[in-house]
Amino acid sequence: MLKILNIVGARPNFMKIAPIVRQMKRRDNEFQQLIVHTGQHYDAAMSNSFFKDLGMPQPDFHLEVGSASHAVQTARIMTAFEPVVLAEKPDWVLVVGDVNSTVACALVCSKLGVKVAHVEAGLRSRDRTMPEEINRIVTDTISDLLLTTSQDANENLKAEGVSEDKINFVGNVMIDSLFYSLKLTEKSNIREDLNLTEKDYAVLTLHRPSNVDDEKIFGGLLDALCVISEKIPIIFPAHPRTRARISEFGFADAIERSQIKLIEPLGYLDFIRLYSGARLVLTDSGGLQEETTALSIPCLTLRENTERPITISHGTNILTGINPERIKQIAFEVLNREASAGDKKIPPLWDGRAAERICDCLSETDSQENL
Ligand code: UD1
């Protein structure tokens, strides 16, 4: 029996851990799993509603660290997590993605000699000004098992000198959650509540510090988005960071006058229901680039780089950069195209069974080590 601590902290972690927890519970003769929530995200809309929507058991440990500077948040997570590891003595700690909770918990384990498995390893934007890129590099460097979503991630890790026997291409757990939840989203009334007709609206999310913390950059993006919204209304569930910048920079009036509709962040099922009916998605989120690819929905990524190139080579994603003129031009090109179901090109192993392969890998790695 393997004892595993599954770590969640911020919004994009919950849908990655949920299928792994489900799989481990199904294989309870092989796994004893406990969920640790660091509390990096704490609002009902950013955290609690996801447990409910994903059918996830409540966390066994809640570290309640909350918001702070990167250094303080990371340090608080490390300080609160260390006693949990010492008391529970897990065989493995499983971390997902690239948030501060991921790197903080991995660091604690590497110092205590506890094995770490990193799900979604090897993604690289090659932009070290992104906090997530630093988190990815550090976490991969100190993890014992690197579980990847795409072959390009394997190549990145090998190029950095990671030994091949630590790397396993298992597919994408985020897509496990998406496929598992699609049927359930039919119960959501979000399109009716917002009075939307399928394929007659666009969905926008923006929260990267590089896009929303700089008044000039955020203002330029909003100018382009206001113009695009004249052609197709845009629904904009705003992250708390983004909402705060909108009022700080005085952008609320311009949004009010446009066809951009600002709403609160949505729960997992409502959000899938919303974007799965959209004609177009505009985003700077990593997860949404993948989810739109899995559902063949055109996606414009408002960033200069992406750590998920497979969504461009094998999916529906277009990297627009942050130049407002270029964003408008590409958006209009996509909107002028015939609305088609898209060619259903889905990256290899984005098949809804990644969590199974992750559990297999953990079992096999452990039994090989014990030979
Ligand atoms: C974090 C992740 C990012 C991920 C994003 C998804 C890091 C470095 N970044 O960024 O990779 O894409 O989550 O949401 O870990 N806040 C609230 N309520 C909450 C959470 C946050 O109001 O429940 C506000 C706080 O004012 C906080 C700000 O949002 O200062 C930013 O939160 P934080 O967790 O520091 O980073 P995110 O920008 O959410």
Side-chain angles (χ1 to χ4, degrees), residues 10-12 40-43 46 67-68 70 73 98-101 131-132 135 207-208 239-241:
R11 187 169 59 176
Q40 177 176 348
H41 284 177
Y42 44 88
D43 282 356
M46 299 295 285
S67 296
H70 283 259
Q73 188 176 60
D98 56 16
V99 303
N100 287 343
S101 301
E132 294 82 1
N135 294 346
H207 74 277
R208 295 267 151 237
H239 184 285
R241 167 194 288 279

Side-chain angles (χ1 to χ4, degrees), residues 35-328:
I35 301 174
V36 180
H37 188 344
T38 65
Q40 177 176 348
H41 284 177
Y42 44 88
D43 282 356
M46 299 295 285
S47 173
N48 300 8
S49 81
F50 285 82
F51 279 80
K52 188 165 144 269
D53 281 358
L54 289 158
M56 249 206 314
Q58 284 304 304
D60 299 279
F61 298 92
H62 204 305
L63 310 183
E64 294 180 351
V65 299
S67 296
S69 71
H70 283 259
V72 171
Q73 188 176 60
T74 306
R76 274 192 201 147
I77 298 169
M78 290 181 70
T79 311
F81 183 53
E82 187 181 53
V84 177
V85 181
L86 288 171
E88 293 299 327
K89 301 186 177 50
D91 296 296
W92 286 93
V93 169
L94 190 139
V95 296
V96 296
D98 56 16
V99 303
N100 287 343
S101 301
T102 312
V103 69
C105 293
L107 263 171
V108 168
C109 295
S110 71
K111 304 273 174 137
L112 293 176
V114 171
K115 284 179 291 186
V116 180
H118 183 206
V119 172
E120 206 183 89
L123 298 182
R124 296 289 182 268
S125 66
R126 307 212 155 67
D127 173 1
R128 291 200 179 191
T129 64
M130 283 179 82
E132 294 82 1
E133 183 74 352
I134 305 301
N135 294 346
R136 291 181 200 115
I137 294 169
V138 175
T139 306
D140 285 341
T141 306
I142 58 183
S143 291
D144 302 274
L145 185 58
L146 297 154
L147 300 156
T148 63
T149 51
S150 52
Q151 285 292 358
D152 58 278
N154 287 40
E155 298 312 317
N156 290 338
L157 292 168
K158 282 189 248 167
E160 290 172 15
V162 176
S163 138
E164 272 193 55
D165 53 10
K166 282 188 177 179
I167 310 171
N168 279 279
F169 171 38
V170 290
N172 195 332
V173 270
M174 193 145 196
I175 306 306
D176 288 17
S177 259
L178 174 60
F179 289 168
Y180 178 86
S181 306
L182 267 182
K183 195 93 197 112
L184 301 173
T185 68
E186 286 166 15
K187 288 193 207 129
S188 157
N189 290 322
I190 190 72
R191 290 188 206 160
E192 293 73 14
D193 292 350
L194 294 170
N195 223 346
L196 300 169
T197 313
E198 200 172 339
K199 304 289 174 209
D200 259 354
Y201 63 94
V203 170
L204 166 70
T205 78
L206 274 184
H207 74 277
R208 295 267 151 237
S210 58
N211 276 342
V212 303
D213 286 358
D214 182 304
E215 183 171 354
K216 200 154 163 266
I217 293 175
F218 193 11
L221 292 174
L222 272 181
D223 286 345
L225 291 160
C226 288
V227 174
I228 297 167
S229 79
E230 297 302 324
K231 184 135 173 138
I232 187 163
I234 298 177
I235 311 300
F236 183 13
H239 184 285
R241 167 194 288 279
T242 311
R243 182 67 77 168
R245 298 298 173 265
I246 289 172
S247 45
E248 188 182 325
F249 300 148
F251 291 157
D253 286 349
I255 295 178
E256 187 68 31
R257 285 192 303 271
S258 75
Q259 297 303 314
I260 299 174
K261 189 174 172 57
L262 199 62
I263 61 171
E264 291 300 311
L266 293 174
Y268 185 61
L269 298 178
D270 279 340
F271 189 55
I272 296 176
R273 180 78 182 149
L274 181 70
Y275 73 72
S276 62
R279 174 83 174 82
L280 175 67
V281 167
L282 305 115
T283 191
D284 59 8
S285 142
L288 203 44
Q289 295 173 49
E290 297 184 341
E291 292 169 322
T292 47
T293 274
L295 298 181
S296 299
I297 296 159
C299 175
L300 304 193
T301 295
L302 312 183
R303 284 173 45 188
E304 297 294 346
N305 51 55
T306 177
E307 61 288 343
R308 292 163 160 91
I310 194 146
T311 58
I312 299 174
S313 59
H314 286 65
T316 51
N317 191 17
I318 303 173
L319 197 60
T320 64
I322 56 166
N323 178 301
E325 289 308 316
R326 191 165 151 74
I327 293 170
K328 282 188 278 185

